[in-house]
Every structure is written in structure tokens, then in C-alpha cells.
Amino acid sequence: MKVALRVKWGKEVFDKVEIDTASPVSAFKSQLKALTGVPQERQKIMCKNGWKGLLKDDFDLSSSSLKDGMQVMLMGTAEVVTAPKEKVLFVEDMKEEKLAKSGAVLPSGLINLGNTCYMNSTLQCLRKVPELRFALSIAKNSSQEPSENFAVFLRETFDRLDRSTEAIPPMMFLHCLRQIHTQFAQQSSRGQGFMQQDAEELYSALLNTLKTNLKEFPSDSQQLAAGDRVLYKSAEGDAEEATVLDVHNDNGRNDPYYTIKLSAKEKQTNRAHLTKIGGSFDLAGSSSVVDALFGIELREELSCLESGAEAGRAH
């Protein structure tokens, strides 16, 4: 049976609150929470002539004397909605740079500057190589020679893409590229601007130029701070991820030592055994960053069917 009750909660009154007496008390309390915000465990419910005393969770409402229009008294404090610890930032309120880095919009692109789609697609692929981006972070203007500043222009192009929500024109990089590799400045024989070029040729030319610019990764000799994630390498060569707990500078020297948290214990060690995760890269014997990241060795082997002689070369 359904009845429409009048619920009084403090100074507020809710008329015609319909309940089904065949439902459990928890269903009625759920209705009251939706109306008032008072959690079920805080609700104290009384109804003169409806039931005796406070309404209990195991009470059978079908056995009550409830009728339409009867008043129910609710006591209890509503849940307090606390303000968020961090201010909610809506997409429309974000600055362009923060919006670009948030992932809330599609990544920015490169404007086609006249048959430069081969270059744009190659740059977008290289942009997503974190080790290359890390190596480019130390590139500096060293002279007026375009080849010496090639890495700088590439880094600046990537940085502009990171900060923008709109497509950008890679003018400076393209100008530098055409000064170094003049084949990419060839004009169409029909006088319709620059010629279309091959992406693989651009990729090879780009890496060959970077090879002369990027000889090493940024040094990982900087001091660590508490909370940094590191890779601990023992004297025996075993490696394990760890967290820096404390930095100690009381050894009377310039090089501090560190307390780190390994999986099973805490340990004190020096900087030589620690590598900051995300802060270094091993060249693995390669002569340059480009070789370490993109190098591949091909080997040719020739054999004479008559003599059985074999010859091979790597390139």
C-alpha cells in the first residue's frame, strides 16, 4: 500500500512524500536521504500514531498505522559537501599551453608549406621519441652555421607544438633544412613551387645531420632530491628500482650520499650507484645519440658456389 506523508526536517517541510509500506525501512530512508542529504545512519525518524518511538531498520511498515497526510519527524544533520582541495579547472578556462599538454584536445599539427607533407609526417613521428627529446634539451646555438644549429631549430619546433592547440608553420626548421640539404629546396619544373620529396630521404638526411650535433645525452650527475625515483645498481651489477628517502651532505665533501628505499630494506649509497629514472640514457658504446636510438647494422654475405669462398661486410 502506498501512502503520501508530510515530512518535517528542522524548518523544512516536504509534502506528499509517497512511500510503499510493502518496502523495507531502508527504502524509505533512501528517499529521505535524497530529499535532505541526511545519511541513513544519522536518521532518527518518528511518527506519532504511526509507530512507537524511533523507527527501527527491522520494522515492518505494513504493520504500521500510516495514513495519507500524517506527519513524519526527521532528525539528523546532512552531509557537508567539502570544497575540492584543488580548484576545478574547466577546458574553456585553460590557457593554450596548459590545454595543449592536458590531452583534452587533439594534438597540434604542422602547416603544409608547399609540398612539405613528407617533412611534417617525419617530424611528428620523431616528436614522440622521448629519448630524442631529452637529448635535444641540451642543444645550444653554437655558431652561424645552419648545421650547427639544426638540433636547436628542431627542438624549438617540437616545443612550439607542445605549447599550441593549433597547427604551426615550421618555417625556421624548413629554412635551415634547405640550407643544409639543398635537394629539399628544388623547385618544380612547372614553376609551381617546391618539389615533392621522399620522407625516407628526409629521415636519413635529418638523422645524419643530428648525428654531428648530438654526441651525448644530458649529464645525469645532478644531485637527487627526496622522493626521486632511481635505479640502484649494486657493485655486483644487479639493478633495482628505488626511492630516495633522504639526502645527506654531512660527509665534509661536495658529493652527498643518499638513503634509498629498496623493495625489502633501506640502504645508504653514493651517487655513482644511482641513476634518476627518466633522466639518463645509456649510449651502449655508440658514438652518438642518433646511433644509439636509430642505428642499425646490415651485413652482406657473398659466397662462391664453385670455390666455397665467402666474403662479408657490414654497412
Side-chain angles (χ1 to χ4, degrees):
M1 183 180 72
K2 292 185 178 181
V3 293
L5 304 176
R6 185 171 185 265
V7 177
K8 188 173 187 306
W9 175 55
K11 295 181 180 180
E12 294 190 54
V13 177
F14 303 91
D15 289 315
K16 297 182 180 181
V17 178
E18 190 176 84
I19 70 167
D20 187 351
T21 57
S23 299
V25 171
S26 60
F28 180 37
K29 286 189 172 184
S30 180
Q31 282 183 268
L32 296 179
K33 183 180 185 301
L35 283 173
T36 65
V38 179
Q40 293 189 27
E41 62 272 14
R42 297 182 191 169
Q43 293 179 13
K44 293 180 175 60
I45 308 169
M46 294 184 294
C47 179
K48 187 178 181 181
N49 300 325
W51 55 80
K52 291 183 179 179
L54 296 175
L55 180 62
K56 297 182 179 179
D57 290 338
D58 57 356
F59 181 71
D60 183 2
L61 290 173
S62 62
S63 65
S64 67
S65 304
L66 291 174
K67 297 178 181 179
D68 288 338
M70 292 183 69
Q71 179 168 291
V72 172
M73 181 76 70
L74 169 65
M75 294 178 289
T77 55
E79 287 182 323
V80 178
V81 179
T82 58
K85 294 181 180 179
E86 295 184 7
K87 182 180 178 181
V88 177
L89 189 62
F90 296 96
V91 170
E92 55 268 24
D93 298 326
M94 289 183 178
K95 293 184 179 179
E96 184 178 21
E97 181 174 350
K98 194 163 188 177
L99 184 60
K101 294 180 178 180
S102 69
V105 295
L106 290 174
S108 55
L110 295 165
I111 294 173
N112 193 323
L113 300 175
N115 286 336
T116 58
C117 52
Y118 67 94
M119 181 190 73
N120 293 353
S121 58
T122 303
L123 294 187
Q124 289 284 30
C125 291
L126 292 175
R127 179 189 173 197
K128 293 301 182 181
V129 181
E131 294 86 357
L132 176 62
R133 299 292 301 274
F134 184 55
L136 288 171
S137 67
I138 61 168
K140 297 179 181 178
N141 288 314
S142 56
S143 71
Q144 297 301 317
E145 291 294 323
S147 60
E148 296 294 326
N149 296 317
F150 188 76
V152 174
F153 288 124
L154 181 60
R155 182 191 67 208
E156 291 176 352
T157 300
F158 288 159
D159 289 346
R160 287 180 62 200
L161 283 170
D162 290 342
R163 298 192 300 267
S164 177
T165 57
E166 303 290 339
I168 67 166
M171 292 291 297
M172 294 298 294
F173 177 79
L174 180 60
H175 179 69
C176 181
L177 172 71
R178 285 172 173 167
Q179 284 186 300
I180 301 169
H181 301 283
T182 55
Q183 70 267 34
F184 299 111
Q186 290 177 335
Q187 298 281 332
S188 171
S189 59
R190 298 180 181 179
Q192 297 177 350
F194 293 98
M195 293 178 60
Q196 178 62 272
Q197 300 289 341
D198 183 73
E200 194 280 330
E201 290 181 6
L202 181 278
Y203 175 77
S204 298
L206 190 150
L207 292 187
N208 285 333
T209 306
L210 285 178
K211 189 173 179 179
T212 64
N213 289 175
L214 304 178
K215 295 294 186 182
E216 59 184 10
F217 276 86
S219 172
D220 193 39
S221 61
Q222 74 272 19
Q223 291 186 7
L224 298 168
D228 283 346
R229 293 289 297 163
V230 295
L231 191 67
Y232 168 71
K233 192 170 184 179
S234 68
E236 293 76 26
D238 298 325
E240 182 180 350
E241 285 192 18
T243 303
V244 176
L245 297 179
D246 202 0
V247 182
H248 310 277
N249 292 286
D250 54 356
N251 56 358
R253 298 179 299 172
N254 292 327
D255 54 326
Y257 63 96
Y258 303 86
T259 299
I260 61 173
K261 173 68 174 178
L262 296 165
S263 58
K265 61 180 179 180
E266 293 183 8
K267 182 179 181 64
Q268 290 188 342
T269 186
N270 59 30
R271 187 66 176 82
H273 291 279
L274 303 176
T275 299
K276 186 175 180 179
I277 293 178
S280 181
F281 183 81
D282 186 4
L283 292 181
S286 301
S287 59
S288 73
V289 172
V290 171
D291 283 342
L293 293 177
F294 307 102
I296 183 171
E297 182 179 281
L298 301 178
R299 183 169 181 83
E300 275 183 351
E301 290 190 357
L302 302 175
S303 60
C304 178
L305 296 179
E306 294 183 1
S307 65
E310 295 184 353
R313 66 172 181 171
H315 57 85

